[in-house]
Amino acid sequence: MLLIYTGGTIGMRENPETGALESFNFDLILDEVPELRRFDYRIHAFTFDPPIDSSDMGLEHWARLVRVIADNYDRFDGFVILHGTDTMAYTASALSFMLENLCKPVILTGSQLPIGKLRTDGKENLITAIEIAAARHEDGSPIVPEVCIYFKEKLMRGNRTTKINAEQFNAFRSFNYPDLATVGMHIRYNEAAIRKPDKSRPFKPHYLVESNVVVLTLFPGIKQSLVHAVLNIPDVKAVVIRTFGAGNAPQLKWFKEELMDANKRGLLLVNITQCQAGSVHMGLYETSLPLMEAGVVSGYDSTPECAITKLMFLLGHKLPTEQIKKMMDSNLCGEITK
Ligand code: ASP
């Protein structure tokens, strides 16, 4: 098992003299969580140096994670990534695209309270994440061969997950896809929901991502000058439009014209809903027809984190706009329901 420590609250401990929270050397993890010694497999650790708060996560860190996993892919049966909770859903989504044909578990976890605190949620999250990453079917194949987030008794598909609470231990939710496992006295896997990888296809790590993406959230009374400014930001290549309900937008003439102009200039426009649960259904209401006519593509039931990182991944590969549109319309690794 390879444990990759990127940073975040989980890896902090209270300095007994000052009371301040500080990152601790992760080689000491066995001292901090002695329970790990009771696993009967070897756990190796790789630490980001320095560990980072996940608000500082960038594209280069995703590429570094892919590199560490690719370099160690044949040596380890599973990978657990310790990550700050704030941007964990973005990293999980990005990795799901960057680790193509993944056949081994990659489980991200973290905590709301540092592992050195008495009431920490980090120990349970870490121990169970390791157990899930190590879980095997009778034939020896991994039970969960995909990128997931494990947090507070729930295993969720990484690219379906959103952070929904800044305080409570129950901080993540997968609104549009069933949990892959629930944890109580037993770990109950939802086998039907877990991806079945095609083992005949080789694992293919990807390192190219591009961040020229912007998010436009609609609201009643939104001004043309704002929409125009966002759609004309130099270098931006894709816009995730967070619309109302099932993918609806104001029927203003100028709004459609701005979108049509952006589409003509080759900008990729993707429609996702502001609602946490449910899907975009373009054409269901007449308020979504102008979007369709302007060339906006549906993001279906994609989370914002997933729509953004999927576009970053596809843009990074410099694919032609029409091909990116087609791939946005395709389910690449369980990220949308069509
Ligand atoms: N700010 C921290 C981070 O995301 C919060 C956490 O780890 O929960 O790195």
Side-chain angles (χ1 to χ4, degrees):
M1 181 73 45
L2 183 62
L3 202 55
I4 306 170
Y5 171 53
T6 67
T9 300
I10 191 166
M12 297 182 175
R13 114 175 124 179
E14 210 174 59
N15 181 319
E17 276 160 29
T18 64
L21 292 176
E22 41 192 51
S23 290
F24 64 90
N25 176 350
F26 218 69
D27 294 339
L28 299 179
I29 186 169
L30 283 178
D31 297 338
E32 202 61 46
V33 193
E35 294 89 337
L36 293 184
R37 292 204 178 88
R38 295 173 59 186
F39 283 119
D40 55 7
Y41 33 82
R42 281 185 308 149
I43 298 173
H44 292 254
F46 177 94
T47 311
F48 272 28
D49 186 17
I52 57 167
D53 187 290
S54 78
S55 298
D56 287 323
M57 255 305 148
L59 277 53
E60 69 282 11
H61 299 107
W62 295 343
R64 198 186 305 169
L65 283 170
V66 172
R67 172 76 58 205
V68 173
I69 292 171
D71 287 351
N72 291 284
Y73 195 71
D74 295 329
R75 282 183 61 207
F76 295 99
D77 291 336
F79 302 85
V80 171
I81 301 176
L82 294 178
H83 194 291
T85 58
D86 291 347
T87 64
M88 193 187 291
Y90 288 90
T91 299
S93 295
L95 291 181
S96 74
F97 301 114
M98 295 167 83
L99 301 170
E100 193 181 340
N101 301 331
L102 181 72
C103 287
K104 297 189 176 188
V106 173
I107 316 291
L108 288 97
T109 195
S111 68
Q112 295 281 59
L113 275 179
I115 212 150
K117 285 265 191 190
L118 220 47
R119 284 198 316 109
T120 185
D121 51 330
K123 271 191 189 180
E124 195 281 323
N125 284 347
L126 172 58
I127 290 168
T128 307
I130 292 175
E131 198 161 326
I132 289 170
R136 297 277 169 277
H137 290 293
E138 268 172 19
D139 67 358
S141 61
I143 295 183
V144 195
E146 56 173 302
V147 179
C148 303
I149 288 183
Y150 175 71
F151 217 89
K152 183 64 183 168
E153 298 167 3
K154 286 200 293 261
L155 181 71
M156 295 154 279
R157 175 167 292 163
N159 54 30
R160 294 288 197 155
T161 310
T162 297
K163 183 174 180 183
I164 49 113
N165 202 306
E167 276 180 36
Q168 291 182 353
F169 290 160
N170 198 352
F172 288 88
R173 195 85 90 243
S174 165
F175 287 102
N176 287 329
Y177 196 76
D179 293 339
L180 304 187
T182 42
V183 176
M185 275 172 63
H186 305 283
I187 302 178
R188 300 214 183 274
Y189 292 98
N190 181 357
E191 297 268 3
I194 296 171
R195 261 179 91 69
K196 317 274 175 291
D198 178 354
K199 291 181 198 148
S200 65
R201 296 171 64 207
F203 169 60
K204 192 166 172 206
H206 294 273
Y207 300 94
L208 300 174
V209 260
E210 180 183 323
S211 63
N212 285 323
V213 175
V214 71
V215 180
L216 172 63
T217 302
L218 302 185
F219 53 88
I222 193 167
K223 290 223 158 119
Q224 179 172 6
S225 52
L226 187 147
V227 173
H228 181 84
V230 172
L231 296 179
N232 286 277
I233 299 172
D235 296 333
V236 160
K237 295 185 182 151
V239 187
V240 175
I241 308 172
R242 297 184 66 229
T243 57
F244 308 123
N248 306 313
Q251 298 182 79
L252 299 162
K253 189 161 165 280
W254 64 257
F255 185 69
K256 183 175 170 186
E257 282 168 2
E258 290 287 351
L259 293 177
M260 287 178 81
D261 174 63
N263 184 51
K264 222 183 286 154
R265 286 184 281 115
L267 223 62
L268 279 148
L269 307 167
V270 180
N271 183 359
I272 65 167
T273 173
Q274 292 177 27
C275 299
Q276 285 184 304
S279 182
V280 158
H281 293 282
M282 299 232 284
L284 184 63
Y285 292 92
E286 64 176 350
T287 40
S288 62
L289 291 178
L291 298 174
M292 285 173 84
E293 286 157 16
V296 178
V297 297
S298 176
Y300 297 94
D301 56 352
S302 189
T303 62
E305 294 90 334
C306 175
I308 293 165
T309 54
K310 186 172 175 180
L311 283 165
M312 286 177 161
F313 170 75
L314 296 173
L315 289 173
H317 287 74
K318 311 272 180 258
L319 302 171
T321 307
E322 281 314 308
Q323 199 177 336
I324 297 186
K325 278 190 178 178
K326 224 182 259 163
M327 293 181 88
M328 288 307 290
D329 200 58
S330 311
N331 182 10
L332 302 184
C333 49
E335 75 279 11
I336 52 172
T337 315
K338 278 196 72 178

